[in-house]
Amino acid sequence: MDDALWQAASPAIEQMVNAAHTYIDGGGWCLQDHLPTVSHEHHWPWLNVERWGDGRPKDWSSLLGKREGEFTKIAVEELHAYQEFLAYGRSREDLRGKLLPTEDMALEWLSDMMLDHLSRDVFERAMHIGARKPHEFRPIYCEAERSILADELPGSVIIPLAFAVFPDGWTLRLDDNTCIRPLTDEEHLGRARDYTYGAVPESVINAATHAIILDDIVVDNRAPWDRVLGRRKYEESAIPQERIDRAVRALRVASPTQSGYAQILLAPEGWADHWRLDLPPLMTIDIVRRYPPALDKRSHREAVTPPSDGNLADIAAAYAALGRGDKRLNLATRRLDLATHREESDDAVLDVTVGLEALIGGDRNEIAHRIATRAAVLLRETHHAHDIYTYLKKVYDRRSEIVHGSHSIKNATIRMHDRTFRTEDVALWLLRTVISAAIALDEPIDTAALDRKVLTLIDQSVRPEA
């Protein structure tokens, strides 16, 4: 983007690379860097970062310092090409708005941090990938340069799906710029971190074989220092949260498996703020708790069974339906999603009933009877109407106990044929089933038509000739 800047940086980078090779080839010793690893011993991958032991890569940045010392082996003050590059960069008045937070600042050490990204950071990356000549490390330099000089930075958002079960190698395209696909080993290594994740257990971060990929992200970089200092704000603003929510909720509708996400990553395209060894320059934007709390205690060693192809195909249909703007359908799926995140079962039951009422409710008269009847008619081709009516009435009985402050556990469970389930689990299944039926209709549910259908079915049962 700026040929004069490259002409000044190129000899500086080459001088660093040559000095490092001369030192190492002469038997010199270098500190070791941390080494990310990924294990596939069980179904879920396990990520780790080795801090000790042999076999770790060299920490090339440790060789450089202001003056030689116990660990510093190459004094940058003696690297004349590097010093000339710094002087040239500082002299470029037209770059001040890019190298400093504001154009009127005169802090050399602050602008040098950006200039070091164009030189010392490029040197370190070059050493890790074995680039020695300008034509070999120029692509690295261009990535660093764009992160400072470009006004817009393209990339992809990667959302690893925690404990979401898919067949090996399975991929699903949701729209032109959104898909679910397997994570590569390079991406696993790039997202591994050598620090704790706070309230999110490592098992949740690690247990992801697939991820939601959003391909058309553009980050505002008109003020590079502001972006770097306030990275999360700038990069989160570029993330289309609505598409992430749609994809997660579509997965929630199509599959009863408890899953979610905790890690939000940005994969730069053609630029980089930093690199790690020779890995893709993935950036962790945020760590969140967007998953059912029960996953905190789930083991990554347990065996899993992939879902049926039918369920997987339903994900794309649900995603498309949620994008058509049906407010009632979107409210119902949002409540389904909220219900799976509740720590209290009573809250989950309330969420489910709100979702059901959004889809097949209407007036407030005899709401439980109306919801149960309409659901029974809607699902009559795949489920016994009497069962659906009975289960939904029991869910509403439980709802009534909750909202009236009752401590009764009479309706805390529901008997379904020969098994007993928690009421909130039955409620979640019912809401997911009704949402799936609504999506299959490919149009908003007409509750009045469902009511009329009840009378028609009565007529047909009493007077078959009708």
Side-chain angles (χ1 to χ4, degrees), residues 65-88:
K66 285 191 174 182
R67 57 186 61 85
E68 288 191 27
E70 182 179 358
F71 297 114
T72 299
K73 303 303 179 182
I74 301 173
V76 294
E77 293 177 349
E78 298 177 6
L79 299 177
H80 304 297
Y82 170 70
Q83 296 301 327
E84 290 172 1
F85 168 66
L86 289 182
Y88 174 75

mmCIF file of all heavy atoms in Angstrom, residues 65-88:
data_model
loop_
_atom_site.group_PDB
_atom_site.id
_atom_site.type_symbol
_atom_site.label_atom_id
_atom_site.label_comp_id
_atom_site.label_asym_id
_atom_site.label_seq_id
_atom_site.Cartn_x
_atom_site.Cartn_y
_atom_site.Cartn_z
ATOM 1 N N GLY A 65 16.790 -6.871 21.658
ATOM 2 C CA GLY A 65 16.655 -5.956 22.783
ATOM 3 C C GLY A 65 17.458 -4.701 22.534
ATOM 4 O O GLY A 65 18.212 -4.606 21.553
ATOM 5 N N LYS A 66 17.322 -3.747 23.429
ATOM 6 C CA LYS A 66 18.052 -2.492 23.235
ATOM 7 C C LYS A 66 19.547 -2.703 23.293
ATOM 8 O O LYS A 66 20.311 -2.065 22.585
ATOM 9 C CB LYS A 66 17.616 -1.470 24.278
ATOM 10 C CG LYS A 66 16.236 -0.872 24.010
ATOM 11 C CD LYS A 66 15.978 0.308 24.922
ATOM 12 C CE LYS A 66 14.663 0.992 24.546
ATOM 13 N NZ LYS A 66 14.394 2.176 25.391
ATOM 14 N N ARG A 67 19.955 -3.618 24.177
ATOM 15 C CA ARG A 67 21.388 -3.900 24.287
ATOM 16 C C ARG A 67 21.563 -5.357 24.694
ATOM 17 O O ARG A 67 20.648 -5.968 25.257
ATOM 18 C CB ARG A 67 22.056 -2.971 25.301
ATOM 19 C CG ARG A 67 21.447 -3.015 26.686
ATOM 20 C CD ARG A 67 22.068 -1.978 27.596
ATOM 21 N NE ARG A 67 21.849 -0.637 27.084
ATOM 22 C CZ ARG A 67 20.746 0.066 27.315
ATOM 23 N NH1 ARG A 67 19.756 -0.449 28.026
ATOM 24 N NH2 ARG A 67 20.599 1.277 26.826
ATOM 25 N N GLU A 68 22.723 -5.913 24.410
ATOM 26 C CA GLU A 68 22.964 -7.318 24.734
ATOM 27 C C GLU A 68 22.943 -7.531 26.235
ATOM 28 O O GLU A 68 23.386 -6.693 27.010
ATOM 29 C CB GLU A 68 24.322 -7.766 24.166
ATOM 30 C CG GLU A 68 24.331 -7.921 22.662
ATOM 31 C CD GLU A 68 25.591 -8.608 22.176
ATOM 32 O OE1 GLU A 68 26.163 -9.387 22.949
ATOM 33 O OE2 GLU A 68 25.991 -8.355 21.019
ATOM 34 N N GLY A 69 22.379 -8.706 26.634
ATOM 35 C CA GLY A 69 22.325 -9.049 28.044
ATOM 36 C C GLY A 69 22.271 -10.546 28.200
ATOM 37 O O GLY A 69 22.674 -11.297 27.304
ATOM 38 N N GLU A 70 21.747 -10.993 29.353
ATOM 39 C CA GLU A 70 21.709 -12.433 29.625
ATOM 40 C C GLU A 70 20.884 -13.186 28.595
ATOM 41 O O GLU A 70 21.251 -14.265 28.152
ATOM 42 C CB GLU A 70 21.145 -12.670 31.030
ATOM 43 C CG GLU A 70 21.113 -14.144 31.428
ATOM 44 C CD GLU A 70 20.577 -14.344 32.826
ATOM 45 O OE1 GLU A 70 20.265 -13.327 33.502
ATOM 46 O OE2 GLU A 70 20.464 -15.505 33.241
ATOM 47 N N PHE A 71 19.720 -12.605 28.231
ATOM 48 C CA PHE A 71 18.845 -13.255 27.247
ATOM 49 C C PHE A 71 18.902 -12.552 25.885
ATOM 50 O O PHE A 71 18.804 -13.183 24.849
ATOM 51 C CB PHE A 71 17.405 -13.291 27.762
ATOM 52 C CG PHE A 71 17.254 -14.111 29.013
ATOM 53 C CD1 PHE A 71 16.895 -13.520 30.206
ATOM 54 C CD2 PHE A 71 17.471 -15.477 28.983
ATOM 55 C CE1 PHE A 71 16.751 -14.276 31.353
ATOM 56 C CE2 PHE A 71 17.334 -16.247 30.128
ATOM 57 C CZ PHE A 71 16.976 -15.642 31.324
ATOM 58 N N THR A 72 19.018 -11.241 25.908
ATOM 59 C CA THR A 72 19.079 -10.492 24.656
ATOM 60 C C THR A 72 20.430 -10.713 23.987
ATOM 61 O O THR A 72 21.467 -10.436 24.580
ATOM 62 C CB THR A 72 18.863 -8.995 24.914
ATOM 63 O OG1 THR A 72 17.576 -8.807 25.488
ATOM 64 C CG2 THR A 72 18.962 -8.211 23.623
ATOM 65 N N LYS A 73 20.391 -11.205 22.770
ATOM 66 C CA LYS A 73 21.628 -11.521 22.067
ATOM 67 C C LYS A 73 21.889 -10.605 20.876
ATOM 68 O O LYS A 73 22.992 -10.585 20.345
ATOM 69 C CB LYS A 73 21.594 -12.984 21.595
ATOM 70 C CG LYS A 73 21.371 -13.979 22.727
ATOM 71 C CD LYS A 73 22.430 -13.855 23.822
ATOM 72 C CE LYS A 73 22.186 -14.832 24.954
ATOM 73 N NZ LYS A 73 23.182 -14.685 26.056
ATOM 74 N N ILE A 74 20.886 -9.867 20.452
ATOM 75 C CA ILE A 74 21.038 -8.968 19.308
ATOM 76 C C ILE A 74 20.563 -7.587 19.728
ATOM 77 O O ILE A 74 19.375 -7.401 20.040
ATOM 78 C CB ILE A 74 20.218 -9.452 18.096
ATOM 79 C CG1 ILE A 74 20.660 -10.868 17.689
ATOM 80 C CG2 ILE A 74 20.347 -8.488 16.930
ATOM 81 C CD1 ILE A 74 19.791 -11.487 16.621
ATOM 82 N N ALA A 75 21.473 -6.624 19.808
ATOM 83 C CA ALA A 75 21.134 -5.259 20.209
ATOM 84 C C ALA A 75 20.581 -4.511 19.002
ATOM 85 O O ALA A 75 21.281 -4.332 18.000
ATOM 86 C CB ALA A 75 22.355 -4.544 20.778
ATOM 87 N N VAL A 76 19.312 -4.083 19.093
ATOM 88 C CA VAL A 76 18.694 -3.396 17.952
ATOM 89 C C VAL A 76 19.379 -2.067 17.672
ATOM 90 O O VAL A 76 19.295 -1.537 16.548
ATOM 91 C CB VAL A 76 17.186 -3.196 18.185
ATOM 92 C CG1 VAL A 76 16.470 -4.534 18.226
ATOM 93 C CG2 VAL A 76 16.921 -2.400 19.453
ATOM 94 N N GLU A 77 20.055 -1.490 18.673
ATOM 95 C CA GLU A 77 20.768 -0.239 18.441
ATOM 96 C C GLU A 77 21.897 -0.413 17.430
ATOM 97 O O GLU A 77 22.340 0.548 16.805
ATOM 98 C CB GLU A 77 21.320 0.295 19.763
ATOM 99 C CG GLU A 77 20.223 0.731 20.736
ATOM 100 C CD GLU A 77 20.804 1.180 22.064
ATOM 101 O OE1 GLU A 77 22.018 0.955 22.287
ATOM 102 O OE2 GLU A 77 20.057 1.734 22.886
ATOM 103 N N GLU A 78 22.353 -1.660 17.255
ATOM 104 C CA GLU A 78 23.428 -1.936 16.311
ATOM 105 C C GLU A 78 22.904 -2.371 14.941
ATOM 106 O O GLU A 78 23.690 -2.593 14.012
ATOM 107 C CB GLU A 78 24.352 -3.018 16.870
ATOM 108 C CG GLU A 78 25.035 -2.596 18.172
ATOM 109 C CD GLU A 78 25.887 -3.708 18.752
ATOM 110 O OE1 GLU A 78 26.028 -4.752 18.064
ATOM 111 O OE2 GLU A 78 26.388 -3.555 19.878
ATOM 112 N N LEU A 79 21.581 -2.515 14.829
ATOM 113 C CA LEU A 79 20.976 -2.872 13.545
ATOM 114 C C LEU A 79 20.652 -1.570 12.805
ATOM 115 O O LEU A 79 19.595 -0.983 12.986
ATOM 116 C CB LEU A 79 19.712 -3.715 13.756
ATOM 117 C CG LEU A 79 19.907 -5.058 14.477
ATOM 118 C CD1 LEU A 79 18.564 -5.746 14.692
ATOM 119 C CD2 LEU A 79 20.855 -5.967 13.682
ATOM 120 N N HIS A 80 21.586 -1.125 11.982
ATOM 121 C CA HIS A 80 21.479 0.208 11.377
ATOM 122 C C HIS A 80 20.275 0.319 10.444
ATOM 123 O O HIS A 80 19.610 1.359 10.401
ATOM 124 C CB HIS A 80 22.778 0.541 10.631
ATOM 125 C CG HIS A 80 23.995 0.456 11.506
ATOM 126 N ND1 HIS A 80 24.171 1.278 12.607
ATOM 127 C CD2 HIS A 80 25.095 -0.358 11.457
ATOM 128 C CE1 HIS A 80 25.320 0.980 13.191
ATOM 129 N NE2 HIS A 80 25.900 -0.014 12.511
ATOM 130 N N ALA A 81 19.962 -0.746 9.721
ATOM 131 C CA ALA A 81 18.811 -0.682 8.817
ATOM 132 C C ALA A 81 17.511 -0.513 9.600
ATOM 133 O O ALA A 81 16.597 0.203 9.182
ATOM 134 C CB ALA A 81 18.748 -1.938 7.953
ATOM 135 N N TYR A 82 17.441 -1.167 10.763
ATOM 136 C CA TYR A 82 16.256 -1.035 11.616
ATOM 137 C C TYR A 82 16.146 0.390 12.156
ATOM 138 O O TYR A 82 15.063 0.985 12.166
ATOM 139 C CB TYR A 82 16.327 -2.048 12.760
ATOM 140 C CG TYR A 82 15.276 -1.850 13.836
ATOM 141 C CD1 TYR A 82 13.931 -2.105 13.581
ATOM 142 C CD2 TYR A 82 15.635 -1.402 15.106
ATOM 143 C CE1 TYR A 82 12.968 -1.915 14.565
ATOM 144 C CE2 TYR A 82 14.687 -1.211 16.097
ATOM 145 C CZ TYR A 82 13.358 -1.466 15.817
ATOM 146 O OH TYR A 82 12.405 -1.274 16.798
ATOM 147 N N GLN A 83 17.270 0.961 12.617
ATOM 148 C CA GLN A 83 17.256 2.331 13.132
ATOM 149 C C GLN A 83 16.874 3.326 12.025
ATOM 150 O O GLN A 83 16.135 4.294 12.284
ATOM 151 C CB GLN A 83 18.623 2.683 13.720
ATOM 152 C CG GLN A 83 19.022 1.843 14.936
ATOM 153 C CD GLN A 83 18.030 1.979 16.087
ATOM 154 O OE1 GLN A 83 17.425 3.031 16.296
ATOM 155 N NE2 GLN A 83 17.855 0.893 16.836
ATOM 156 N N GLU A 84 17.337 3.094 10.819
ATOM 157 C CA GLU A 84 16.976 3.969 9.706
ATOM 158 C C GLU A 84 15.484 3.862 9.384
ATOM 159 O O GLU A 84 14.835 4.860 9.052
ATOM 160 C CB GLU A 84 17.816 3.608 8.474
ATOM 161 C CG GLU A 84 19.291 3.971 8.617
ATOM 162 C CD GLU A 84 20.130 3.443 7.471
ATOM 163 O OE1 GLU A 84 19.529 2.801 6.552
ATOM 164 O OE2 GLU A 84 21.363 3.632 7.482
ATOM 165 N N PHE A 85 14.945 2.659 9.517
ATOM 166 C CA PHE A 85 13.507 2.481 9.272
ATOM 167 C C PHE A 85 12.681 3.243 10.307
ATOM 168 O O PHE A 85 11.704 3.912 9.961
ATOM 169 C CB PHE A 85 13.159 0.992 9.299
ATOM 170 C CG PHE A 85 11.678 0.727 9.349
ATOM 171 C CD1 PHE A 85 10.855 1.064 8.280
ATOM 172 C CD2 PHE A 85 11.094 0.148 10.470
ATOM 173 C CE1 PHE A 85 9.484 0.828 8.323
ATOM 174 C CE2 PHE A 85 9.730 -0.085 10.525
ATOM 175 C CZ PHE A 85 8.925 0.257 9.447
ATOM 176 N N LEU A 86 13.074 3.156 11.585
ATOM 177 C CA LEU A 86 12.355 3.898 12.629
ATOM 178 C C LEU A 86 12.410 5.395 12.347
ATOM 179 O O LEU A 86 11.390 6.098 12.465
ATOM 180 C CB LEU A 86 12.948 3.600 14.004
ATOM 181 C CG LEU A 86 12.712 2.205 14.591
ATOM 182 C CD1 LEU A 86 13.326 2.119 15.987
ATOM 183 C CD2 LEU A 86 11.234 1.867 14.658
ATOM 184 N N ALA A 87 13.596 5.889 11.996
ATOM 185 C CA ALA A 87 13.744 7.330 11.725
ATOM 186 C C ALA A 87 12.879 7.748 10.537
ATOM 187 O O ALA A 87 12.235 8.810 10.565
ATOM 188 C CB ALA A 87 15.211 7.667 11.467
ATOM 189 N N TYR A 88 12.839 6.910 9.518
ATOM 190 C CA TYR A 88 12.030 7.234 8.349
ATOM 191 C C TYR A 88 10.541 7.244 8.715
ATOM 192 O O TYR A 88 9.793 8.153 8.333
ATOM 193 C CB TYR A 88 12.278 6.236 7.232
ATOM 194 C CG TYR A 88 11.354 6.429 6.053
ATOM 195 C CD1 TYR A 88 11.547 7.479 5.161
ATOM 196 C CD2 TYR A 88 10.263 5.579 5.859
ATOM 197 C CE1 TYR A 88 10.674 7.676 4.092
ATOM 198 C CE2 TYR A 88 9.391 5.765 4.793
ATOM 199 C CZ TYR A 88 9.604 6.818 3.917
ATOM 200 O OH TYR A 88 8.744 7.020 2.877
#
